[in-house]
Amino acid sequence: LPAGLSQWFPALEVLDVSGTGLAEMGAELLSLPCLHTLLAKNNRLGGPGSLPKGLEQAPLARSLRVLNLSGNRFAEVPPALLQLRELRSLSLGGNRLHGIPPDIQELRSLEFLYLGGNFITAIPPELAKLPSLRYLVLCDNKIQSIPPQLAQLHSLRSLSLHNNLLTYLPREILNLVHLEELSLRGNPLVVRFVRDLTYNPPSLQELAGRTVKTRNVPYAPSDLPESLVRYLSLASNCPNPKCGGVYFDSCVRQIKFVDFCGKYRLPLMHYLCSPECSSPFSSASQSSTSQSESDSEDEASVAAHRMQKVLLG
């Protein structure tokens, strides 16, 4: 970037240096107090010194709202970017990212996050702590699962997950009450479904805990060690309405198929308390031809109401 930039354009608000072969951005950026949009797409940024030192303390850190660094060579999200607390839009698509740092949660004002076209394999639960996030783009990566914590993104309107390695979605995704667009094409869950019935027998502690909970055995904190009281508070209800049981650590992971918009069948993850639990869930072999009665009516209507646009094809 040219020296004296802030002297020539002290009131500069938008700067676009995309496609210029830029390998680093110098300190002249730091003294642009009015700059709110910085576009530096398709350059050679990503090496040491790509971003100016002291960015997090500069006036730019308070003024910047939109930052687009897509099409560069970043192998990780630069820590300095995680200090831009007023940032509303961050684009790092088409880089070389292999992960999302947990400190992404510091960008509390973020509304738009584009991380498509990287090598990301996992989504940190901390991503769910972005209260203003409306658009999340994670397409064209290597993501295998979605953390259920993403259901806490109550402001989310669009979630792009196409061309990843997803085989199922957590049932909590139905809690994204404002979601209007869910893009899933190009994932294994669209063309084939998996069913995992791996089950570890419950421990004696779990068997005792299940008995206490299902039979409503009374107890007070003074009756038990603190660790057992805490353990009993972690009981999860079996989602099968005909069961009424609970589980702690030992459960059966199973896929449940839910109709979306009357056209698509979406596999959601469920956890049963035991393999013998009488489940209304359809099996993998039945997924293309049938679905049990209690399975679809209530939840499909909820899903159809909440998600107006589901892109699976």
Side-chain angles (χ1 to χ4, degrees), residues 275-286:
E276 292 76 28
C277 181
S278 176
S279 168
F281 308 154
S282 58
S283 68
S285 61
Q286 298 170 326

Side-chain angles (χ1 to χ4, degrees), residues 1-192:
L1 293 179
L5 185 63
S6 60
Q7 297 176 358
W8 299 339
F9 306 104
L12 190 65
E13 296 183 355
V14 179
L15 178 60
D16 188 349
V17 291
S18 301
T20 59
L22 202 64
E24 63 179 48
M25 292 187 287
E28 57 273 8
L29 273 179
L30 304 181
S31 52
L32 292 171
C34 301
L35 190 68
H36 60 70
T37 299
L38 175 57
L39 309 177
K41 302 179 293 181
N42 303 325
N43 284 301
R44 295 185 290 119
L45 299 169
S50 291
L51 301 179
K53 293 182 179 180
L55 175 60
E56 55 272 25
Q57 285 87 31
L60 182 63
R62 296 185 293 274
S63 66
L64 202 60
R65 298 291 185 272
V66 177
L67 178 60
N68 193 326
L69 296 172
S70 292
N72 280 284
R73 303 176 180 181
F74 290 100
E76 61 180 17
V77 178
L81 299 188
L82 303 176
Q83 302 301 316
L84 303 178
R85 304 298 169 81
E86 303 301 321
L87 206 60
R88 306 283 178 81
S89 174
L90 175 61
S91 299
L92 281 164
N95 276 275
R96 302 171 181 177
L97 305 179
H98 284 79
I100 305 172
D103 286 345
I104 195 77
Q105 65 182 311
E106 301 299 330
L107 301 179
R108 305 282 293 177
S109 300
L110 205 61
E111 299 177 3
F112 178 91
L113 179 59
Y114 190 104
L115 298 174
N118 282 286
F119 304 95
I120 297 169
T121 58
I123 304 173
E126 289 81 3
L127 189 62
K129 297 181 180 179
L130 298 176
S132 304
L133 195 63
R134 294 167 59 88
Y135 301 94
L136 177 57
V137 181
L138 295 168
C139 60
D140 300 291
N141 278 287
K142 300 181 181 296
I143 298 168
Q144 300 183 44
S145 63
I146 304 299
Q149 290 86 349
L150 284 196
Q152 300 169 19
L153 291 172
H154 300 302
S155 297
L156 201 63
R157 298 292 190 275
S158 177
L159 177 58
S160 296
L161 294 166
H162 51 272
N163 299 330
N164 275 286
L165 302 176
L166 297 172
T167 54
Y168 68 89
L169 295 177
R171 63 174 294 145
E172 287 82 359
I173 200 159
L174 293 176
N175 295 328
L176 294 173
V177 295
H178 297 297
L179 197 65
E180 298 172 356
E181 181 175 291
L182 175 62
S183 179
L184 294 168
R185 65 184 183 273
N187 280 281
L189 66 80
V190 178
V191 294
R192 64 180 176 84

Side-chain angles (χ1 to χ4, degrees), residues 240-294:
N240 180 6
K242 298 180 180 179
C243 173
V246 299
Y247 63 86
F248 294 88
D249 303 312
S250 181
C251 58
V252 178
R253 191 173 71 173
Q254 190 180 47
I255 299 296
K256 177 182 180 182
F257 296 91
V258 175
D259 289 338
F260 273 54
C261 306
K263 184 176 181 181
Y264 300 110
R265 183 165 289 160
L266 195 64
L268 302 181
M269 181 61 73
H270 285 249
Y271 295 89
L272 301 176
C273 62
S274 75
E276 292 76 28
C277 181
S278 176
S279 168
F281 308 154
S282 58
S283 68
S285 61
Q286 298 170 326
S287 65
S288 60
T289 57
S290 67
Q291 189 174 21
S292 64
E293 298 175 0
S294 60

